[in-house]
Amino acid sequence: MHEVFIQRALPLIRHDYHAFESYLGELTECMPLPLKVLRPRDDPVVSAAQCRDWLSYSTCDRAHMHETTAHGHFFLTERAGRDELVELLLELLAESL
């Protein structure tokens, strides 16, 4: 079940990376969505402060940053990183029911 979910989720996550890397605009309007920003604790590329900046794009008080136990900037290439993402998403779905 996890593999099917991952096969469907990874293209969306790749699009998120593309959007992040190609973003040029200014913040003009925030979204009323509970953003979840994921960052490995040992990310050598993006600091915790930079990740927290993404939270300014949400007006929702449930938006937060989640630091993963997976390693490296591309933590989703590791099974542990993908498993942690799946667990987090399942928790979020359970909260919304």
Side-chain angles (χ1 to χ4, degrees):
M1 177 175 167
H2 282 25
E3 291 299 321
V4 172
F5 179 80
I6 289 168
Q7 288 174 358
R8 292 185 178 152
L10 279 179
L12 299 173
I13 294 166
R14 286 186 185 111
H15 288 295
D16 285 348
Y17 274 109
H18 175 73
F20 173 75
E21 292 171 350
S22 61
Y23 180 75
L24 300 173
E26 294 290 323
L27 177 63
T28 58
E29 188 174 329
C30 294
M31 299 174 287
L33 303 172
L35 294 178
K36 305 300 180 200
V37 178
L38 301 178
R39 177 189 181 270
R41 287 188 183 108
D42 66 349
D43 190 332
V45 178
V46 180
S47 70
Q50 288 172 305
C51 284
R52 278 191 296 276
D53 287 345
W54 278 96
L55 299 177
S56 66
Y57 287 85
S58 175
T59 59
C60 182
D61 60 352
R62 292 185 358 207
H64 77 275
M65 183 175 76
H66 176 82
E67 288 196 310
T68 70
T69 57
H71 299 286
H73 185 69
F74 295 103
F75 68 98
L76 292 176
T77 61
E78 300 174 15
R79 179 160 185 101
R82 292 190 304 264
D83 288 347
E84 191 167 355
L85 174 63
V86 168
E87 290 302 317
L88 178 63
L89 291 172
L90 290 173
E91 287 174 22
L92 293 171
L93 287 172
E95 288 175 11
S96 68
L97 297 178

